[in-house]
Amino acid sequence: MAPIPPESVEELRTSGNQSFRNGQFAEAATLYSRALRMLQEQGSSDPEKESVLYSNRAACHLKDGNCVDCIKDCTSALALVPFSMKPLLRRASAYEALEKYPLAYVDYVTVLQIDDSVTSALEGSSRMTRTLMDSFGPEWRLKLPSIPLVPVSSQKRWECLPLENHKETSKRKSKETTSAKSRVPSAGDVERARALKEEGNELVKKGNHKQAIEKYSESLWFSNLESATYSNRALCHLELKQYQEAVKDCTEALRLDGKNVKAFYRRAQAYKALKDFRSSFADIDSLLQIEPRNGPARKLRQEVNRSLN
């Protein structure tokens, strides 16, 4: 007796996932297509579910080398749920395979705005930077399409994943962090990190803190041993009112250099903005032990003192 074919959208999606895991990409794509048709025929207004199906089918196209259809499906997925990381990464890979490097770069750096620890995006943006510099020279940025600014609400949405996805994401982040920390940078890595940090510094001078964060993040992927890169990225987080991220970067900077005055000052500013006045005061106190005449720190101490009293 022939098996009964799956009848619901969820069953079709699950069967598609199993086929994909088994390396049967064409079969998986067919199952995702059936699920999409069924969902659309039902008139269901579930953009998340529809977006996932487009993204999953895009992964099948990418595996089969059908980059054009991969891009189409990723674009459909993103139209339904903007700034979804998987379709952005899949579309970036497809653009790169088609040698559409400026478009690939834009998608990679968009992912880094959402989560600056995604290794594939860091590596991809670095590859695209090198390729574009080789192709267009120092003015390569002028050849780029506009890079979308990811709203904070979209960043927060990916921080509030369902429990199962959250565990998977946490595991990935832990693996990426461990990999970066255990990796000993070569002399070439250190030089590349320095150049990227300088690019970040130039962007800060122009007030472009979002792109500066991307550059500092790329720099830290090549070498995460320089305290100043973390404290510089913390400055950008402060400017963008991302205070928790600023605290994290300053803490890492101080782990590498316990006398990094800028890291103490910026963490104190972040703690003050978070209304953690005691921690802010403690950081200012530590800073003033290193530089007793530091004017901005003394002024900040007075402000924090008033809040404590």
Side-chain angles (χ1 to χ4, degrees):
M1 184 176 176
I4 299 170
E7 294 180 354
S8 73
V9 170
E10 189 56 36
E11 286 172 329
L12 285 164
R13 187 184 69 82
T14 301
S15 296
N17 292 350
Q18 187 59 52
S19 295
F20 186 89
R21 283 193 288 270
N22 293 338
Q24 298 167 315
F25 306 122
E27 181 180 310
T30 299
L31 289 162
Y32 293 136
S33 296
R34 286 176 58 194
L36 274 166
R37 280 197 302 273
M38 185 179 291
L39 191 65
Q40 289 159 358
E41 285 167 5
Q42 291 170 355
S44 172
S45 58
D46 191 338
E48 287 271 357
K49 188 177 287 185
E50 194 174 346
S51 177
V52 167
L53 287 167
Y54 276 117
S55 178
N56 287 2
R57 191 171 69 178
C60 301
H61 292 320
L62 189 61
K63 287 288 187 181
D64 280 338
N66 183 355
C67 294
V68 172
D69 283 340
C70 172
I71 290 166
K72 286 179 183 175
D73 275 355
C74 289
T75 302
S76 295
L78 291 162
L80 290 160
V81 183
F83 306 115
S84 302
M85 283 196 287
K86 285 184 179 179
L88 279 167
L89 285 167
R90 287 164 185 164
R91 191 171 68 177
S93 296
Y95 279 140
E96 186 174 355
L98 293 173
E99 299 184 3
K100 296 185 176 182
Y101 301 126
L103 293 169
Y105 178 86
V106 167
D107 278 351
Y108 283 131
V109 298
T110 301
V111 171
L112 291 173
Q113 288 185 65
I114 301 164
D115 182 347
D116 62 12
S117 68
V118 178
T119 302
S120 57
L122 285 165
E123 292 174 347
S125 65
S126 295
R127 278 196 311 275
M128 295 305 94
T129 299
R130 290 193 294 272
T131 302
L132 291 164
M133 285 181 73
D134 289 344
S135 299
F136 302 117
E139 302 299 314
W140 65 273
R141 286 185 179 278
L142 300 176
K143 305 291 182 180
L144 295 177
S146 61
I147 298 172
L149 185 65
V150 178
V152 175
S153 58
S154 290
Q155 295 176 38
K156 286 180 178 176
R157 178 161 61 84
W158 295 111
E159 290 168 6
C160 303
L161 295 166
L163 182 61
E164 182 183 346
N165 290 346
H166 180 72
K167 285 179 180 175
E168 184 181 335
T169 303
S170 298
K171 192 186 297 181
R172 173 181 55 76
K173 281 190 174 182
S174 173
K175 184 178 177 183
E176 287 167 358
T177 303
T178 303
S179 171
K181 287 186 176 178
S182 61
R183 185 170 157 275
V184 178
S186 66
D189 288 337
V190 172
E191 179 57 29
R192 183 69 183 141
R194 186 199 62 75
L196 285 163
K197 187 187 83 166
E198 289 305 316
E199 286 186 44
N201 293 348
E202 289 303 313
L203 288 165
V204 168
K205 289 174 187 175
K206 295 173 183 175
N208 196 334
H209 298 100
K210 276 277 186 185
Q211 284 195 19
I213 285 175
E214 293 162 17
K215 286 298 166 189
Y216 292 137
S217 299
E218 288 181 58
S219 173
L220 289 166
W221 188 85
F222 282 99
S223 173
N224 61 355
L225 303 177
E226 188 169 348
S227 177
T229 308
Y230 282 105
S231 55
N232 287 3
R233 191 170 68 174
L235 171 64
C236 299
H237 287 308
L238 278 173
E239 292 291 335
L240 296 170
K241 299 186 177 4
Q242 297 167 347
Y243 301 120
Q244 294 284 7
E245 294 303 316
V247 168
K248 287 178 190 174
D249 273 352
C250 290
T251 301
E252 192 62 26
L254 289 163
R255 184 184 68 79
L256 292 165
D257 176 6
K259 293 187 176 180
N260 185 329
V261 168
K262 289 180 179 178
F264 274 125
Y265 184 72
R266 288 165 187 167
R267 192 169 69 175
Q269 287 179 301
Y271 277 138
K272 178 175 178 280
L274 292 167
K275 301 192 184 306
D276 185 350
F277 301 118
R278 292 189 183 281
S279 296
S280 179
F281 192 87
D283 275 348
I284 300 164
D285 193 53
S286 298
L287 187 164
L288 290 171
Q289 287 181 36
I290 301 166
E291 287 188 7
R293 296 181 181 276
N294 188 303
R298 292 166 75 174
K299 182 181 177 184
L300 183 60
R301 183 171 63 177
Q302 290 175 352
E303 294 170 7
V304 172
N305 226 349
R306 283 196 293 271
S307 299
L308 279 169
N309 297 329

